[in-house]
């Protein structure tokens, strides 16, 4: 690891990592607070920096690299497909979009799919679906309910639905007609719904908001009210879906099942290539007719083929996600018993968080020194979104490093 410095006038002789830092500082929009690590390559659950130092990757590109790095089956299909066809636009058919849509429909119970490129774009599409659905009933039926503490993305529509003022306020005015309800506040939910409600959007587990699962009874209430007011229930499963919790979708954990009208997926769908999907039941899908929505890149041949390969591998991985996830959670609970600044361990499967009384940013820096990658969200929550191929041995390695980091706090 090298220290960041002011941009050099001539970067030619600088060591390789320093050159990367300097050019980034000089020319890249300074919107990211990056950690001082240049990731050069990855293999399995590990990444390597330019000097060949190895790091255990417990964040996997913020939940994207679900099969770890350089998975041989993914490398193989990328090679094959890149030599055949990467993109042909949505003016034509290719061989992989239909089969991928069919597979996602079978997994989700939602029969129609639109492909986009990123989570936020999937949210934008869902907003349009809600508005079009509502307006077909009454032009004033365009309100959307969202939750406090939620995160739905950075484009203006998704931002308007994001229940954290720090993300929203610098860009206001945003989309009007959004009503926020606090997670778990069933009474507030009832008050927010009206004949003007076109849709409601929820994360089964609020990820960016600190790995906070929603109470199931609250989600059931949302389902009931959405039905009563003929509004679309949208589950944003961009972070918690596609195996992360040990099942295909978070909502499949509910008993009896709480089915949404629309589910959104992205992050791991093409395990590193940009791909997202809106999964919609017949009622929601009926809102969008020819010409009403589209994307140049969405659902390209390469990304769709990779996603099909990922979903084929996912079935075999689900039991291990549950088992290793439970083991990981147990080990984190041991840490919680030992270190008094830990308030709570949250999450399940391979989406886990340590909620602390103290800030986590320095710990993430310390973890780099321990050859461990993780992330801090909501200032005080250490978040783990490791690859689905994680083993109990990897968990032990991470917990040993965390123990050393936590000991430094002296608490
Ligand atoms: C729940 C949720 N929704 C939407 C998004 C936005 O996804 P993207 O960054 O791919 O636009 C994220 C990203 O972290 C997310 O966690």
């Amino acid at each position: 690891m090298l220290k960041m410095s002011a941009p050099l006038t001539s970067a030619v002789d600088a060591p390789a990592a320093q050159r990367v830092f300097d050019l980034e500082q000089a020319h890249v929009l300074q919107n990211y607070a990056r950690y001082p690590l240049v990731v050069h390559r990855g293999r399995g659950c590990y990444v390597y920096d330019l000097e060949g130092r190895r790091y255990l990757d417990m964040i996997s590109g913020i939940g994207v690299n679900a099969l770890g790095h350089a998975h041989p089956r993914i490398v193989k299909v990328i090679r094959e497909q890149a030599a055949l066809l990467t993109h042909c636009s949505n003016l034509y058919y290719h061989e992989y979009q239909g089969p991928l849509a069919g597979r996602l429909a079978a997994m989700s119970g939602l029969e129609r799919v639109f492909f986009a490129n990123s989570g936020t774009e999937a949210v934008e599409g869902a907003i349009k679906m809600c508005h079009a659905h509502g307006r077909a009933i009454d032009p004033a039926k365009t309100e959307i309910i969202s939750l406090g503490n939620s995160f739905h993305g950075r484009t203006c529509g998704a931002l308007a639905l994001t229940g954290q003022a720090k993300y929203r306020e610098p860009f206001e005015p945003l989309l009007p007609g959004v009503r926020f309800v606090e997670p778990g506040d069933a009474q507030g939910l009832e008050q927010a719904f009206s004949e003007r409600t076109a849709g409601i959007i929820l994360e089964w587990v609020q990820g960016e908001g600190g790995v906070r699962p929603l109470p199931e009874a609250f989600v059931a209430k949302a389902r009931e009210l959405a039905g009563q007011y003929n509004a679309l229930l949208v589950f944003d499963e961009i972070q918690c879906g596609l195996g992360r919790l040990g099942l295909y979708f978070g909502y499949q954990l509910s008993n009896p099942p709480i089915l949404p009208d629309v589910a959104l997926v992205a992050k791991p769908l093409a395990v590193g290539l940009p791909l997202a999907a809106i999964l919609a039941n017949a009622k929601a899908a009926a809102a969008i007719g020819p010409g009403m929505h589209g994307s140049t890149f969405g659902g390209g041949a390469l990304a769709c083929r990779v996603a099909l390969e990922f979903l084929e591998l996912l079935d075999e991985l689900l039991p291990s996600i549950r088992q290793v996830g439970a083991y990981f959670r147990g080990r984190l609970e041991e840490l919680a018993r030992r270190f008094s600044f830990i308030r709570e361990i949250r999450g399940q499967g391979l989406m886990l968080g340590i909620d602390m009384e103290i800030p986590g940013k320095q710990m993430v820096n310390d973890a780099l020194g321990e050859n461990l990658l993780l992330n801090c969200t909501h200032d005080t929550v250490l978040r783990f979104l490791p690859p689905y191929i994680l083993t109990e041995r990897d968990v032990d390695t991470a917990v040993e490093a965390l123990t050393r980091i936590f000991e430094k706090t002296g608490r």
Side-chain angles (χ1 to χ4, degrees), residues 62 118-121 123 151-154 203 207-208 236-239 266-267 383:
I62 322 187
S118 63
T120 201
E121 244 188 275
V123 174
F151 184 85
H152 296 293
R154 306 285 195 154
E203 294 158 84
E208 214 68 26
D236 177 342
E237 295 246 353
I238 287 164
Q239 189 164 145
K267 287 180 182 289
R383 178 174 50 168

Side-chain angles (χ1 to χ4, degrees), residues 33-178:
R34 296 182 208 265
Y35 293 100
L37 168 69
V38 181
V39 181
H40 174 60
R41 67 185 181 91
R43 183 126 205 121
C45 291
Y46 288 85
V47 294
Y48 297 79
D49 68 13
L50 289 169
E51 287 152 347
R53 205 173 295 126
R54 189 173 94 133
Y55 301 80
L56 175 57
D57 185 1
M58 297 295 274
I59 191 66
S60 64
I62 322 187
V64 166
N65 301 110
L67 297 177
H69 301 271
H71 190 288
R73 294 239 325 240
I74 298 298
V75 171
K76 182 169 178 283
V77 295
I78 289 178
R79 283 208 171 113
E80 272 176 26
Q81 191 58 35
L84 288 169
L85 179 76
T86 53
H87 171 82
C88 65
S89 87
N90 285 300
L91 291 173
Y92 313 104
Y93 299 87
H94 62 72
E95 295 151 84
Y96 300 104
Q97 211 177 97
L100 178 59
R103 177 84 175 97
L104 288 166
M107 288 163 59
S108 66
L110 301 164
E111 61 206 69
R112 291 212 174 263
V113 180
F114 173 82
F115 290 106
N117 309 286
S118 63
T120 201
E121 244 188 275
V123 174
E124 294 295 323
I127 294 171
K128 286 175 74 176
M129 224 172 230
C130 290
H131 279 196
H133 165 78
R135 284 178 61 89
I137 299 162
D138 178 342
K141 191 175 173 66
T142 55
E143 280 186 7
I144 299 183
I145 299 172
S146 184
L147 298 192
N149 199 47
S150 58
F151 184 85
H152 296 293
R154 306 285 195 154
T155 50
C156 285
L159 203 51
L161 300 183
T162 289
Q164 300 185 57
K166 69 174 180 197
Y167 293 118
R168 244 187 8 251
E169 274 174 7
F171 303 102
E172 287 175 343
L174 293 164
L175 186 75
V178 180

Side-chain angles (χ1 to χ4, degrees), residues 186-221:
Q187 205 184 345
L189 196 62
E190 279 198 44
Q191 285 162 0
F193 265 95
S194 74
E195 294 301 338
R196 299 166 83 101
T197 310
I200 170 164
I201 185 163
L202 310 171
E203 294 158 84
W204 191 265
V205 178
Q206 292 189 327
E208 214 68 26
V211 191
R212 291 181 184 277
L214 291 182
E216 204 174 303
F218 176 78
V219 184
K221 188 78 195 162

